[in-house]
Amino acid sequence: MLDAHLTLFHQLPPSVAEELKHRLAVETRGVRAPRAKVTGLMSLGGGVAYRIEAPELVAIREGLVDAFTGLLTPQDAGRWRPHVTIQNKVRPVLAKAVLAALSRDFSAREVEIAGLASWHYRGGPWEAHSRHMFA
């Protein structure tokens, strides 16, 4: 089984860390995992990603956007495109080749969203802040 991560937000202010922890606990406690599916590949320009469809996860994120309105960066306040990055920060010609190769055998499939987590960025290393698993 492959362990991958979807980023819901890139940068929340440290001042919301405990509220975020509480909200993630509420969203997951006793709740079945959201349905999710890998539906295709997407170009990142200098990389490639798997496109993810997860309507219930989108709803969770939208609730968090509402809760933290005014505190979000423009990137986090904008439209969310759920994806799992396969390759990033390479020359576009290499990314196009990988996209073409993966596209030949791609088939959509269900994936499991196991839980939600938050992390602190410490100038290089990441430090786990909280982890909340679905039922």
Side-chain angles (χ1 to χ4, degrees):
M1 176 169 43
L2 176 65
D3 188 22
H5 300 93
L6 291 168
T7 300
L8 296 180
F9 298 96
H10 292 88
Q11 183 180 0
L12 293 173
S15 61
V16 304
E18 291 310 306
E19 182 179 353
L20 176 64
K21 183 177 181 177
H22 170 74
R23 288 179 180 276
L24 296 180
V26 168
E27 292 290 353
T28 57
R29 187 178 302 121
V31 176
R32 280 189 26 203
R35 292 171 288 120
K37 189 173 190 175
V38 178
T39 59
L41 292 150
M42 58 191 279
S43 171
L44 301 176
V48 179
Y50 286 118
R51 183 182 323 280
I52 306 294
E53 285 185 15
E56 296 158 297
L57 193 58
V58 170
I60 290 170
R61 185 183 184 280
E62 287 173 355
L64 294 170
V65 167
D66 289 344
F68 299 125
T69 295
L71 302 173
L72 301 176
T73 64
Q75 179 183 25
D76 285 335
R79 188 176 143 255
W80 185 49
R81 297 183 317 156
H83 64 278
V84 174
T85 302
I86 300 166
Q87 171 194 56
N88 201 13
K89 298 182 179 160
V90 300
R91 293 188 344 262
V93 67
L94 179 56
K96 284 181 184 180
V98 169
L99 180 62
L102 290 173
S103 294
R104 283 192 289 274
D105 295 325
F106 178 80
S107 61
R109 61 189 168 279
E110 300 289 322
V111 293
E112 178 184 355
I113 305 291
L116 302 174
S118 63
W119 298 81
H120 292 290
Y121 182 64
R122 302 291 188 202
W126 288 87
E127 178 183 301
H129 173 255
S130 68
R131 183 175 174 203
H132 312 272
M133 305 309 287
F134 289 104

